Amino acid sequence: MSPASTGASTIVGAVSTVPDSRMTPGGPGYRRMSLALFLAGVSTFALLYSTQALLPLISGDFGVTASEASWTVAAATGGLALFVIPMSALSERYGRRTIMTASLVVAVTVALLVPFAPSLTALVVLRAVQGAALAGVPASATAYLAEEVRPTALITAIGLFVAGNSVGGMSGRVITGWVAQEWGWRAALGALGLVAVGCAVAFRLLLPAPAHFTRGSLRPRVLARTVRDHLANPLLRRLYAIGALFMTVFGGVYTVIGYRLTQAPFSLPQGVVGSIFLVYLVGTVSASAAGRLVGRLGRRGALYLGGGTTAAGLLLSLADSLPLVLPGLVLITAGFFAGHAVASSAVSKTAAHGRAQASALYQSAYYIGSSVGSTAGAVAFHAGGWAGTVGVGLLAVAGVVGITVLGTLAAARTGTAARTA
């Protein structure tokens, strides 16, 4: 057990008389910390998925198919997935705030270059670099929260960070949709880059300096041992798979939905398609409510609810009627963000040491799921239309439910409390 985890155990131990100086809602620094990480989540998701709502325009400009254009999304999420573990190791050595700041600086710099990409290949390469840079934010944010926030407030704090992700995903798509309708996709990406610059500056000014960070080692052998320990934990493995599968659904749906809504029978203009992403606000609410869901239903109950809600939304979205498709997207979004907030907070609470690596493994699996979902969803759409994309999503939801059932059975065999995932 690391010194950090040993210290945390001493602080929260029942017999300890040392006051817990970590942040709590209403306490000093909590609001600044929440707003700072909310803005980090906004900029990360806005940049990471900045091309997603613009794929039909990018396809038309470069003369490529939906599956080829989808690589501008898959490259960014794939870059993040590959670099999130190395970034987590750097955060153990140099600090969470330092790595998050450096990541945002590089990512927003690349964002200002992306609008000038001369070809699809150049755009994909820039997006891969941007995703790799952004890896430092999710790799460090949940570890920062686990160290600086009291355990009783951790799910709520992580829920707020995830809510920032949903706002970033929504605002990025709405901004790019309307700007692109008037001035094209390049101007839209430039405008989004300027918004991300503002978020990055505010984040650095607001985030309190860490008070409970313990410097770790950069030795590859130590990192490999920590990663191996986490992968040997059955609960963590299940949580990683659940995060990947939830994101497979979400990545597939929102990569393809722009194509579906700009085609018959909907034939919506680009600005209106971008506004469809306002349903992300539902994700803000469901992510923020994750703590209450776990309190009422237990962790597995909340995951069942998230998966069921997502599946219901997928089925409803099959209708060729906008008044039915929109509620379907609302249900998909609510179920996804609730499930993601529950699973990611469970990782932070489960890891007894190396929290940054535990979180990084979750983020890696999560964004691999996004890359797989965006590519598989686009290929399925090309082959079988929207029903093909929904089929991919339903398979992923079935995986979430199946893994959660395995957790239920494992808990029953070992006599684990029902509220454990």
Side-chain angles (χ1 to χ4, degrees), residues 286-387:
S286 65
S288 300
R292 294 193 298 275
L293 281 177
V294 173
R296 292 180 180 179
L297 304 175
R299 198 177 294 161
R300 288 195 302 275
L303 290 172
Y304 285 131
L305 179 61
T309 302
T310 303
L314 286 167
L315 293 173
L316 191 58
S317 73
L318 286 168
D320 286 332
S321 169
L322 197 59
L324 293 178
V325 171
L326 290 180
L329 292 175
V330 167
L331 292 175
I332 292 167
T333 304
F336 161 73
F337 275 105
H340 168 42
V342 170
S344 61
S345 61
V347 168
S348 295
K349 294 189 74 173
T350 301
H353 67 286
R355 286 192 180 96
Q357 282 73 49
S359 175
L361 285 167
Y362 176 83
Q363 296 293 336
S364 182
Y366 175 78
Y367 286 109
I368 287 172
S370 178
S371 295
V372 170
S374 60
T375 303
V379 170
F381 181 76
H382 182 73
W386 181 250

Side-chain angles (χ1 to χ4, degrees), residues 51-56 66 70 173 249-264 266-270 272-280 313-314 316-322 324-330 332-333 373-374 377-378 381 385-387 389-390:
T51 61
Q52 198 172 56
L54 304 173
L55 291 179
S70 71
R173 290 161 173 86
V249 181
F250 201 67
V253 165
Y254 280 103
T255 295
V256 172
I257 192 63
Y259 289 97
R260 189 189 186 204
L261 295 179
T262 54
Q263 296 175 1
F266 305 104
S267 302
L268 298 178
Q270 187 65 42
V272 175
V273 171
S275 296
I276 295 296
F277 291 91
L278 285 168
V279 299
Y280 266 46
L314 286 167
L316 191 58
S317 73
L318 286 168
D320 286 332
S321 169
L322 197 59
L324 293 178
V325 171
L326 290 180
L329 292 175
V330 167
I332 292 167
T333 304
S374 60
F381 181 76
W386 181 250
T389 302
V390 168

Side-chain angles (χ1 to χ4, degrees), residues 143-353:
Y144 175 94
L145 289 169
E147 291 164 352
E148 305 298 328
V149 176
R150 293 185 188 180
T152 54
L154 184 59
I155 294 179
T156 300
I158 290 179
L160 288 172
F161 174 65
V162 173
N165 293 345
S166 70
V167 171
M170 177 271 294
S171 59
R173 290 161 173 86
V174 172
I175 291 170
T176 56
W178 285 106
V179 174
Q181 183 171 305
E182 297 296 327
W183 296 288
W185 65 268
R186 295 180 186 273
L189 292 179
L192 191 62
L194 293 175
V195 171
V197 169
C199 288
V201 171
F203 161 81
R204 185 59 181 84
L205 294 174
L206 287 169
L207 189 68
H212 300 87
F213 171 70
T214 301
R215 191 182 300 273
S217 172
L218 272 177
R219 288 180 295 173
R221 185 176 298 177
V222 175
L223 175 62
R225 185 170 62 246
T226 302
V227 169
R228 186 172 62 248
D229 288 346
H230 292 326
L231 292 177
N233 186 318
L235 172 54
L236 288 176
R237 288 201 304 268
R238 290 196 296 270
L239 292 170
Y240 297 153
I242 286 170
L245 289 167
F246 264 124
M247 197 53 164
T248 297
V249 181
F250 201 67
V253 165
Y254 280 103
T255 295
V256 172
I257 192 63
Y259 289 97
R260 189 189 186 204
L261 295 179
T262 54
Q263 296 175 1
F266 305 104
S267 302
L268 298 178
Q270 187 65 42
V272 175
V273 171
S275 296
I276 295 296
F277 291 91
L278 285 168
V279 299
Y280 266 46
L281 291 172
V282 176
T284 305
V285 175
S286 65
S288 300
R292 294 193 298 275
L293 281 177
V294 173
R296 292 180 180 179
L297 304 175
R299 198 177 294 161
R300 288 195 302 275
L303 290 172
Y304 285 131
L305 179 61
T309 302
T310 303
L314 286 167
L315 293 173
L316 191 58
S317 73
L318 286 168
D320 286 332
S321 169
L322 197 59
L324 293 178
V325 171
L326 290 180
L329 292 175
V330 167
L331 292 175
I332 292 167
T333 304
F336 161 73
F337 275 105
H340 168 42
V342 170
S344 61
S345 61
V347 168
S348 295
K349 294 189 74 173
T350 301
H353 67 286

